Amino acid sequence: SFTKPLVAAVASCCAALTYAANPIFTDVFTADPAALVHDGKVYLYTGHDQAKDNTKFFEMHDWLVFSSDDMVNWEAHGPRLQVKDFKWAKGDAWASQVIERDGKFYWYITARHNDTKPGFAIGVAVGDSPLGPFKDALGKALITNDMTTATSNDWDDIDPSVWIDDDGQAYLFWGNTKAYYAKLKKNMTELDGPITEIKGLPEFTEAIWIHKHKDNFYLSYAMGFPEKIGYAMSKNINGPWEYKGILNEVAGNTPTNHQAIITFNDKHYFIYHTGAGRPDGGQYRRSVSIDELFYNPDGTIKRIIMTSE
Ligand code: FUB
């Protein structure tokens, strides 16, 4: 377990503490957080930075899972999915997200496709519990470069974010440089219509996260490079999206920035990664951190105060 005794002691003394000190894990490098609230627990799915230092590139082979009852004490469940679980993939376990539908858990992942379809692709694994076991649901990628690449790049099919609306319609959002979305069928493993490019997101880079608060939809994303997290709002999951501003600045010591936004026990959380907080951290050795998120009465979101810096 990655539980930190000091944090636990402070938590038991001070009822106001609602998340662990940042970074929340200090014995493993974690990135690209995605969180799922299920059955009174928060499940945190992260990428796993394994680069030896910060000089070359990402080394990412698997995805980790952690869970918590209180956002303070975290239990580590180890890697629960690996690139090699996808026969069509050859490396780079980049950003992912898990969602539940009808008792099944669908884990949408980014990985580099093998030689027949170069570039990055999005796949989906399925399991019977938030901890799996998970297996490739399709035996092939769900989104590949040849579906979106015409005027784009080899990296545009990364960073999936999945949403099921109140009427049961599911949607997949993703992208790098260009932002895309498409409907998913009820089986969660097939597209249910065309892929549409989302316009009007200033400086869009990657890392879409979709969430809803009251009657507003939110599309947050990494903008520019080095990346800040910005967000847009809409009354409709199909847009149009109206850009509203920046949520956090470049998070210490790494140009990437990647967020998940959840509500748990009536508090709102902004979960992200940073290269700061550990002496050997940096661009390819990132650490997940958590800070509280606050809405304004009109639904806009206040700038995040990062305690990871
Ligand atoms: O972790 C690899 C890539 O870096 C992710 O897919 C992007 O969102 C950025 O964080």
Side-chain angles (χ1 to χ4, degrees):
S1 162
F2 293 104
T3 302
K4 285 179 270 183
L6 179 62
V7 169
V10 174
S12 61
C13 110
C14 315
L17 192 71
T18 52
Y19 52 95
N22 286 321
I24 59 174
F25 311 120
T26 52
D27 43 8
V28 64
F29 286 107
T30 52
D32 302 330
L36 171 71
V37 177
H38 178 74
D39 228 358
K41 269 182 183 278
V42 177
Y43 292 88
L44 182 59
Y45 301 84
T46 76
H48 184 190
D49 277 341
Q50 293 181 281
K52 299 275 175 293
D53 56 39
N54 288 297
T55 60
K56 294 200 184 79
F57 195 59
F58 297 113
E59 192 177 330
M60 305 178 80
H61 306 294
D62 52 30
W63 294 269
L64 305 175
V65 189
F66 306 84
S67 66
S68 177
D69 295 326
D70 57 9
M71 297 296 283
V72 176
N73 299 287
W74 290 92
E75 184 178 352
H77 302 282
R80 293 279 161 154
L81 194 61
Q82 310 178 58
V83 169
K84 64 183 182 202
D85 294 327
F86 298 93
K87 289 206 167 44
W88 51 266
K90 66 177 180 187
D92 297 307
W94 285 14
S96 74
Q97 190 184 345
V98 175
I99 200 166
E100 186 264 346
R101 177 163 213 154
D102 299 332
K104 296 230 179 278
F105 295 80
Y106 296 89
W107 195 339
Y108 297 84
I109 60 94
T110 307
R112 200 183 290 266
H113 205 287
N114 63 27
D115 289 341
T116 53
K117 289 191 189 297
F120 279 88
I122 292 171
V124 55
V126 62
D128 290 328
S129 88
L131 299 178
F134 291 94
K135 66 173 198 326
D136 185 357
L138 288 171
K140 61 177 185 177
L142 172 61
I143 307 288
T144 57
N145 210 21
D146 55 356
M147 297 158 80
T148 49
T149 199
T151 56
S152 190
N153 63 50
D154 276 1
W155 290 33
D156 63 339
D157 299 314
I158 69 167
D159 293 6
S161 183
V162 60
W163 178 260
I164 301 175
D165 208 7
D166 294 342
D167 64 1
Q169 179 65 59
Y171 298 83
L172 188 69
F173 290 72
W174 72 97
N176 171 291
T177 313
K178 289 174 181 276
Y180 302 107
Y181 85 111
K183 290 181 178 168
L184 288 169
K185 292 188 179 168
K186 278 211 171 96
N187 63 17
M188 300 299 279
T189 59
E190 280 178 276
L191 298 191
D192 191 11
I195 293 172
T196 303
E197 189 184 336
I198 305 168
K199 305 277 193 185
L201 302 175
E203 291 183 75
F204 176 78
T205 304
E206 56 190 2
I208 294 179
W209 178 265
I210 298 290
H211 78 281
K212 192 176 183 185
H213 176 65
K214 299 195 171 156
D215 60 347
N216 290 308
F217 291 94
Y218 297 80
L219 187 163
S220 52
Y221 64 98
M223 56 193 297
F225 200 84
E227 296 173 342
K228 303 172 178 192
I229 301 300
Y231 76 108
M233 290 172 64
S234 179
K235 292 287 180 201
N236 190 316
I237 186 72
N238 293 292
W241 296 95
E242 189 180 341
Y243 176 71
K244 291 292 183 182
I246 288 169
L247 291 181
N248 79 341
E249 298 292 338
V250 175
N253 206 19
T254 179
T256 64
N257 202 335
H258 196 117
Q259 77 298 352
I261 296 171
I262 57 163
T263 298
F264 180 65
N265 289 345
D266 299 326
K267 290 202 173 287
H268 313 294
Y269 295 97
F270 184 81
I271 310 172
Y272 59 105
H273 68 223
T274 164
R278 290 182 63 181
D280 47 354
Q283 181 164 9
Y284 305 122
R285 291 158 71 84
R286 300 163 291 179
S287 296
V288 167
S289 294
I290 302 177
D291 281 303
E292 214 169 329
L293 177 148
F294 299 95
Y295 292 94
N296 293 309
D298 66 356
T300 55
I301 302 175
K302 292 186 197 296
R303 192 76 73 100
I304 304 297
I305 297 170
M306 291 191 283
T307 61
S308 58
E309 298 298 283

